[in-house]
Amino acid sequence: IELESRLGEYMKLTMYLLFSFGLSFLFPVFLLILAKLKIVTVTILKKQRKYFFIGILIFSAVFTPPDIISQLGIAIPLVIFFEISLVLINILIKNEN
């Protein structure tokens, strides 16, 4: 058995990873926009935290190759971004009032 790397497979993997990391960096911006439009609040986000975590794991499983390292490489930053978004939304709401 000989391992041959193909440029097409490498590019496909690279594009999937770039796409998924790009979407993950937009996640806090999306939450901040929804909070500014008063579609979501911090209390709703805190109550639904476990569902967001499950959604983050599903997202990372769909948009990464089937190995646990790349899935955690997307999931862990997304969880951190979610928590940072909660703090930023709290700050924005306090500044509005």
Side-chain angles (χ1 to χ4, degrees):
I1 296 175
E2 194 174 308
L3 179 64
E4 293 182 21
S5 60
R6 296 196 173 122
L7 183 62
E9 292 173 5
Y10 175 73
M11 291 303 292
K12 183 179 176 182
L13 173 67
T14 304
M15 294 308 288
Y16 273 129
L17 289 176
L18 284 174
F19 179 71
S20 59
F21 274 106
L23 282 180
S24 66
F25 278 103
L26 289 176
F27 183 62
V29 175
F30 180 67
L31 286 178
L32 288 171
I33 290 171
L34 289 178
K36 280 297 249 185
L37 295 174
K38 298 189 190 310
I39 296 174
V40 296
T41 61
V42 176
T43 56
I44 291 172
L45 292 174
K46 285 182 180 179
K47 286 181 183 177
Q48 303 298 324
R49 181 180 279 147
K50 59 184 169 186
Y51 299 114
F52 274 97
F53 290 167
I54 292 171
I56 286 169
L57 290 174
I58 291 171
F59 174 82
S60 66
V62 169
F63 285 105
T64 57
D67 65 305
I68 193 71
I69 302 298
S70 59
Q71 289 175 3
L72 288 177
I74 295 286
I76 291 172
L78 275 175
V79 169
I80 293 170
F81 289 158
F82 178 76
E83 296 298 328
I84 291 172
S85 296
L86 292 179
V87 172
L88 290 176
I89 291 169
N90 267 336
I91 292 170
L92 285 176
I93 290 172
K94 287 180 184 178
N95 286 341
E96 282 183 2
N97 296 330

